[in-house]
Amino acid sequence: MKVGILAGGFGTRLAEETELRPKPMVEIGSMPILWHIMMHYYRYGHRDFAIALGYKGEYIKRWFTDYIALNGSLTINSATGDVKRHSNSIPDWSVDLVETGLKTLTGGRIKRLLDWMGDETFMLTWGDGVSDVDLDKLLAYHKSHGKLATMTAVRPSARYGHLEFDGDRVVEFTEKPQASEGWINGAFFVLEPGIGDYIDGDDVMFEHAPMRRLAADGQLMAYRHESFWQCMDTLREKHLLQTLWESGDAPWKTWS
């Protein structure tokens, strides 16, 4: 089963980092967040990826080329130019780096990826969010209902502390609790090729008309994930993920 990852957006809300590189290449613990996402899928046995490129796609191509070429020890013959690569820790991945247009929106990027996914069920996520979602359970849930699309629904922590009052007296203060309601789209989709019929072209956000139409047709199901999920839309969120990684207890690090 292939995994599609959207990595072509401009990342304007993280402009401090994305002027020089695409958002999926912003580093957490010296490795791009894209690598963290792929490692999570790899932990569940998924090794075939198709990455939708757009803004600064050459940066992502260069990173993968260097990652493969420079990881581990090398022996170089200066006379012949031969390079011998010794053992390294690179995962056994197959990665399609697919140009999907500079200004193409999410729906268009997904539709352009369909030719690379094969005529079968596939997984898909955004290139800027991490989670400890159990991908085996997610896939089993998708197969159980037989619909075209499953999205992972999450309830992120509130950004600010929560207050409860009795008149003007504070009776409870909770520091950044998980929202008690308001499920949102956490990506980590499982999709069938038929979703392409719901995407009209490049100028379509998958989160808008296609998902509304899928829902209206009874073809969109939600897998409710109660545990860790975090996007990286802002510098604050990038620092949060970095702090978690440096603590040695990053919840999304499901691999060893």
Side-chain angles (χ1 to χ4, degrees):
M1 179 176 297
K2 296 197 73 164
V3 178
I5 303 176
L6 302 194
F10 288 95
T12 53
R13 285 181 288 180
L14 196 61
E16 302 92 339
E17 294 277 354
T18 57
E19 285 187 7
L20 299 177
R21 55 188 168 181
K23 185 160 64 166
M25 289 287 102
V26 174
E27 294 181 354
I28 303 298
S30 80
M31 296 298 282
I33 192 170
L34 178 61
W35 176 88
H36 291 261
I37 296 166
M38 294 172 71
M39 287 297 292
H40 180 62
Y41 278 98
Y42 189 60
R43 147 74 175 81
Y44 285 89
H46 301 283
R47 57 173 299 275
D48 293 329
F49 298 90
I51 301 176
L53 305 179
Y55 174 68
K56 296 189 180 297
E58 71 281 357
Y59 192 112
I60 298 177
K61 292 178 182 177
R62 189 179 306 115
W63 185 86
F64 275 103
T65 301
D66 290 345
Y67 181 51
I68 294 167
L70 304 180
N71 194 283
S73 300
L74 305 175
T75 297
I76 300 174
N77 186 313
S78 61
T80 64
D82 292 340
V83 177
K84 180 180 179 181
R85 295 179 176 85
H86 300 277
S87 60
N88 57 54
S89 58
I90 295 177
D92 180 20
W93 290 341
S94 175
V95 185
D96 299 319
L97 300 170
V98 184
E99 293 289 353
T100 57
L102 180 61
K103 297 182 179 180
T104 306
L105 300 183
T106 54
R109 293 194 195 283
I110 293 169
K111 190 155 190 170
R112 289 190 180 208
L113 280 184
L114 289 179
D115 288 341
W116 297 79
M117 308 311 285
D119 189 24
E120 61 184 10
T121 306
F122 64 96
M123 290 185 161
L124 180 114
T125 195
W126 309 154
D128 61 356
V130 288
S131 177
D132 61 355
V133 59
D134 187 317
L135 297 174
D136 287 344
K137 291 181 178 179
L138 170 63
L139 180 58
Y141 174 73
H142 177 78
K143 290 181 176 180
S144 73
H145 60 63
K147 306 298 184 181
L148 289 177
T150 299
M151 72 172 177
T152 299
V154 298
R155 294 189 297 174
S157 297
R159 182 171 180 179
Y160 303 105
H162 174 72
L163 300 176
E164 290 191 11
F165 298 97
D166 178 5
D168 291 330
R169 183 173 64 89
V170 177
V171 295
E172 183 178 356
F173 173 77
T174 307
E175 178 64 18
K176 300 178 182 177
Q178 186 180 55
S180 60
E181 57 185 356
W183 292 87
I184 67 169
N185 172 21
F188 292 94
F189 295 93
V190 185
L191 303 170
E192 300 297 329
I195 59 127
D197 295 338
Y198 288 78
I199 304 170
D200 294 331
D202 284 353
D203 298 328
V204 175
M205 292 286 287
F206 185 62
E207 308 91 305
H208 294 170
M211 288 184 67
R212 287 197 295 266
R213 291 168 57 197
L214 283 163
D217 288 351
Q219 292 294 328
L220 177 62
M221 302 293 287
Y223 175 80
R224 301 191 188 208
H225 176 61
E226 300 269 6
S227 188
F228 179 83
W229 174 89
Q230 181 62 57
C231 63
M232 190 186 66
D233 281 337
T234 65
L235 194 60
R236 172 190 170 276
E237 290 166 342
K238 189 264 186 186
H239 289 158
L240 170 63
L241 293 174
Q242 181 67 32
T243 298
L244 288 170
W245 185 261
E246 291 174 352
S247 75
D249 192 29
W252 70 92
K253 188 179 182 300
T254 55
W255 61 94
S256 57

